[in-house]
């Protein structure tokens, strides 16, 4: 990708945050349903981003999938080079990013409704808790990227696939938690 295309892509994603936040804040949808739907769409966006060609090439090396020498597979690595590869990645990232923003806004809105009033008067109020959890999530995500990037295992030759599958598992775990505690999150 050229630096100008990357800059325009990141700027478009950044400019989408404010309208999405405004839409979620002024929409009368149920936050619990919104969280469930966005978790489904995040998993869908991650599945769109999966490089199928790299999965097929990885399947050829199934016996050495956890071996430490990935040099032979690196030469055969499948890039997003077919006719719709870049479009596939851009659409997948767009869906994941927009749904993450919607999910964050729905979570903050729901937390402001269900948190006890005593918590807002404490030193560690809801705003600080949300900020700390966001920082923890970013830290864990950065550590995951670092581990996958530094791993020289055959299974991690395509970082996007490795990260997508980890995040899909996290989405399913989050969906299970929201579904299990659906009525606990009642705002009335």
């Amino acid at each position: 990708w050229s630096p100008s295309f990357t800059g325009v892509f990141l700027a478009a994603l950044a400019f989408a945050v404010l309208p999405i936040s405004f839409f979620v804040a002024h929409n009368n949808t149920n936050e619990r349903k919104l969280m469930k739907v966005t978790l489904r769409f995040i998993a869908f966006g991650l599945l769109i981003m999966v490089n199928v060609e790299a999965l097929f090439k990885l399947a050829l090396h199934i016996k050495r999938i956890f071996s430490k020498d990935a040099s032979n597979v690196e030469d055969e690595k499948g890039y997003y080079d077919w006719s719709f590869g870049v479009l596939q990645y851009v659409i997948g990232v767009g869906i994941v990013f927009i749904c993450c923003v919607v999910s964050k806004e729905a979570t903050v809105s729901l937390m402001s409704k269900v948190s006890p009033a005593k918590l807002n008067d404490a030193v560690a109020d809801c705003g600080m808790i949300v900020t700390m959890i966001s920082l923890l999530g970013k830290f864990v995500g950065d550590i995951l990227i670092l581990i996958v990037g530094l791993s020289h295992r055959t299974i991690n030759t395509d970082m996007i696939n490795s990260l997508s599958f980890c995040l899909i598992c996290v989405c399913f775990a989050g969906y299970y938690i929201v579904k299990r505690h659906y009525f606990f999150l009642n705002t009335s």
Side-chain angles (χ1 to χ4, degrees), residues 104 107-134:
K104 180 185 174 222
T107 303
V108 169
S109 174
L110 185 62
M111 190 170 179
S112 69
K113 292 178 183 178
V114 299
S115 65
K118 290 180 182 180
L119 184 61
N120 292 329
D121 296 334
V123 174
D125 62 348
C126 289
M128 184 177 158
I129 292 172
V130 168
T131 303
M132 296 307 286
I133 290 174
S134 295

Side-chain angles (χ1 to χ4, degrees), residues 26-95:
H26 290 84
N27 199 356
N28 290 331
T29 58
N30 188 342
E31 291 89 358
R32 298 174 293 157
K33 290 180 184 175
L34 198 58
M35 287 170 53
K36 287 172 72 174
V37 169
T38 56
L39 284 171
R40 288 182 197 150
F41 273 102
I42 288 172
F44 177 69
L46 289 168
L47 284 174
I48 289 175
M49 285 179 16
V50 169
N51 187 351
V52 180
E53 182 181 356
L55 281 180
F56 286 137
K57 289 186 179 186
L58 186 63
L60 295 174
H61 304 284
I62 195 75
K63 290 183 181 179
R64 306 179 305 168
I65 199 166
F66 292 109
S67 67
K68 199 158 186 155
D69 182 28
S71 58
N72 296 341
V73 182
E74 280 290 331
D75 300 334
E76 302 175 14
K77 187 174 175 182
Y79 295 99
Y80 287 97
D81 59 353
W82 359 290
S83 59
F84 60 91
V86 174
L87 182 65
Q88 170 191 2
Y89 180 75
V90 168
I91 289 172
V93 167
I95 290 171

